[in-house]
Amino acid sequence: MSFDLNGATPMILFDEVTRFDGGIGTFMQLNFTLDYKGAVPDQIAMTYDSQFDGSLENHRAMVLLRSNVKTGLENNEAHISHIFAPGPNQVTLSLTSPPAGQVFALFVKHGLVHILIGFDHVAFLLALLLPSVLVVQAGRWAPAATLGQAGWTILKIATVFTLAHSITLSAAALGIIVPPAQMIEALIALSIVAAALVNITLVRPTATLPMVFALGLLHGFGFSYVMEPLGIARATLLHSLLGFNIGVELGQIAIIAVVFPLLFVLRRQGWYVAAVLKGGSVLLILIATWWFGERALGLVQSAMAAGKAWRSIRTCSNAPFPRC
């Protein structure tokens, strides 16, 4: 790890090593200061190459500027300035107010990356895509007649899903509604089960639009939990929110662009309904049920721990002589 300040390379003075809960996992937090005597520059260049030797593909390094006299930032523990991942290991950070375009572009990237690695959201989208190339005729599944017919179906489904998750993502980012994360994550797993179960029955894809909207609201909260630990400055809230949302949509479009044409080509195969639609839906149900079990167990354990702590506080407060 090294820094460049106006052409000078300051010495790194480490203070302590602690743990940092980033919302999407637990990180080791390295607190340090830079031994630099010159005037505070407008930019700081940083190079990070630790753990990026190919052995740890999931390694991430989150950079926080704790104090910055140029922007009045003090004791910052929320606004993440940059996330290093395998790939480019150099970045130049602005020490003045970040340009709106820079914030927007950064959150577009965050939203795009999240939807592509958010397996539960991808699974839900796949459950919606599987029947999109089919129609119901005479009580049976039949292939959509044209690409336009199938494309119109998936366009309506994707639009309703986008509208729904945009509402709750915005509400959570603005602090209007912030439900418990563990509960929402468990319900998101159930949303995959619900969408896949519908595929096994003879229900026209567009007839499920109200369900897609309702379940999309859950996924919006899920997106917000990923966005929250990235740290959103109030001055750039709109740019951050809009950028993240657009990034999510770009990710969805990328997935649809890859999967939908393949499903359209296969739709006329005699085994499509049994193997792809129903078989794929059963597989999604099994995976999502496993996720729900894990998340529901975590929810129960958290509730039990909270109940135990509440009982301990109550016992202490009711004691004739304080013991805690």
Side-chain angles (χ1 to χ4, degrees):
M1 180 187 303
S2 62
F3 295 86
D4 185 295
L5 297 174
N6 287 335
T9 302
M11 182 180 297
I12 302 174
L13 304 176
F14 287 95
D15 302 323
E16 59 178 337
V17 178
T18 59
R19 289 183 178 274
F20 171 71
D21 184 6
I24 55 176
T26 301
F27 296 79
M28 296 301 296
Q29 179 168 314
L30 306 177
N31 301 289
F32 60 87
T33 56
L34 300 180
D35 185 13
Y36 178 71
K37 307 301 183 184
V40 178
D42 291 336
Q43 295 180 329
I44 178 172
M46 178 177 182
T47 301
Y48 180 85
D49 53 15
S50 175
Q51 304 297 331
F52 289 156
D53 58 357
S55 61
L56 295 175
E57 296 182 358
N58 295 325
H59 179 72
R60 298 292 183 271
M62 307 169 78
V63 182
L64 293 86
L65 295 177
R66 186 164 187 177
S67 299
N68 183 359
V69 296
K70 294 206 170 212
T71 59
L73 191 66
E74 186 174 356
N75 294 325
N76 168 52
E77 293 289 347
H79 189 142
I80 296 172
S81 300
H82 184 73
I83 299 180
F84 281 106
N89 65 340
Q90 294 181 327
V91 65
T92 299
L93 303 177
S94 172
L95 297 181
T96 60
S97 297
Q102 178 182 331
V103 173
F104 175 80
L106 178 62
F107 275 83
V108 167
K109 178 182 177 181
H110 287 321
L112 176 62
V113 170
H114 171 65
I115 191 64
L116 295 179
I117 65 174
F119 300 119
D120 46 1
H121 301 298
V122 173
F124 181 74
L125 189 57
L126 289 177
L128 300 179
L129 281 170
L130 291 178
S132 66
V133 295
L134 303 173
V135 295
V136 177
Q137 293 179 349
R140 300 183 62 182
W141 287 110
T146 64
L147 178 62
Q149 183 182 24
W152 178 240
T153 296
I154 194 58
L155 177 62
K156 287 187 285 187
I157 292 174
T159 300
V160 169
F161 179 58
T162 296
L163 177 62
H165 75 63
S166 297
I167 292 173
T168 45
L169 171 59
S170 301
L174 295 171
I176 299 174
I177 306 175
V178 187
Q182 287 182 310
M183 179 186 71
I184 293 298
E185 292 298 327
L187 291 176
I188 285 176
L190 285 183
S191 74
I192 302 169
V193 174
L197 281 174
V198 169
N199 293 345
I200 300 176
T201 62
L202 285 172
V203 179
R204 290 183 297 108
T206 52
T208 64
L209 292 181
M211 180 200 72
V212 172
F213 182 82
L215 299 181
L217 295 174
L218 292 175
H219 285 256
F221 286 123
F223 291 140
S224 72
Y225 300 134
V226 176
M227 189 175 176
E228 186 272 334
L230 297 176
I232 308 172
R234 184 173 297 276
T236 58
L237 175 60
L238 179 60
H239 301 90
S240 303
L241 184 58
L242 182 61
F244 190 85
N245 226 337
I246 290 178
V248 168
E249 302 321 312
L250 290 176
Q252 289 182 176
I253 291 172
I255 294 170
I256 293 173
V258 172
V259 177
F260 179 74
L262 178 61
L263 297 181
F264 185 78
V265 170
L266 297 177
R267 77 193 191 288
R268 293 190 182 278
Q269 302 299 320
W271 41 262
Y272 182 88
V273 172
V276 179
L277 177 64
K278 296 185 177 180
S281 296
V282 169
L283 178 61
L284 289 173
I285 290 171
L286 293 175
I287 295 173
T289 300
W290 174 262
W291 286 341
F292 173 75
E294 286 186 323
R295 296 171 184 182
L297 178 60
L299 185 61
V300 171
Q301 291 175 337
S302 296
M304 292 176 62
K308 183 178 180 180
W310 181 83
R311 288 193 298 270
S312 176
I313 294 173
R314 185 179 180 184
T315 300
C316 176
S317 63
N318 292 337
F321 301 102
R323 297 194 302 269
C324 53

